[in-house]
Amino acid sequence: MAFKTTRPLRFGDCDPSGIAYFPSYLNILVGVLEDYFASIGFPWRKLIDDRRIGVPTVRLDLTFVKPGLQGDDLEFVLSVHGVGRSSLDLEHQVSANGHVLWTARHRVVATSLDTHTSMEWPDDIRAALTSHLETTDAHHPAT
């Protein structure tokens, strides 16, 4: 089941011509990922402060299709495509005004904030992530 949310493309997210500045997209994407984790019951503040779990990006492959313009409402669709021992494979589609602007393949990894090494997803988080897999036979390609 995909997670969907909308974010405005603001003046500060754009270059002087009013076109989205791509690093701003990444900042917005991090906020969407944070909201996704909150939506499945694991707000980052609790992950970080209470459970000492980080979720850094280890791979991000973006494909830009059309420019986003200042004032666009960006429609984000985040899909879970694989849950590994410590990794999570996501796909993102970002649209505005009915047109795809960009897509991304994204891998994050659960890490211990005490040792700064990867760690297995705790069972409760793994169960929540797995329940959002796009297909019942999805698996992590490295497993």
Side-chain angles (χ1 to χ4, degrees):
M1 160 182 20
F3 173 75
K4 298 177 182 179
T5 190
T6 302
R7 295 284 190 285
L9 191 58
R10 301 186 183 279
F11 174 81
D13 299 323
C14 298
D15 65 20
S17 70
I19 295 174
Y21 184 52
F22 80 90
S24 294
Y25 278 150
L26 302 182
N27 186 46
I28 297 167
L29 185 67
V30 170
V32 169
L33 183 62
E34 184 175 352
D35 289 349
Y36 167 70
F37 270 86
S39 79
I40 63 169
F42 302 99
W44 276 9
R45 182 154 187 127
K46 289 186 185 266
L47 284 178
I48 292 167
D49 292 348
D50 299 344
R51 297 181 73 170
R52 306 291 299 147
I53 298 171
V55 187
T57 294
V58 296
R59 187 179 70 216
L60 184 59
D61 179 20
L62 299 144
T63 301
F64 296 101
V65 180
K66 292 181 65 126
L69 303 174
Q70 179 187 336
D72 281 347
D73 285 321
L74 303 176
E75 300 161 4
F76 283 80
V77 178
L78 178 156
S79 304
V80 175
H81 284 269
V83 180
R85 183 190 74 79
S86 62
S87 63
L88 175 63
D89 287 336
L90 306 166
E91 290 188 9
H92 306 274
Q93 180 175 292
V94 183
S95 303
N97 304 310
H99 300 283
V100 174
L101 302 182
W102 56 279
T103 61
R105 297 185 75 203
H106 189 188
R107 179 175 286 174
V108 298
V109 175
T111 60
S112 163
L113 294 177
D114 296 320
T115 65
H116 300 291
T117 58
S118 69
M119 59 179 279
E120 287 188 34
W121 289 111
D123 291 340
D124 57 339
I125 299 173
R126 173 180 298 287
L129 295 171
T130 301
S131 73
H132 287 87
L133 280 169
E134 283 302 307
T135 59
T136 56
D137 63 346
H139 67 280
H140 191 284
T143 304

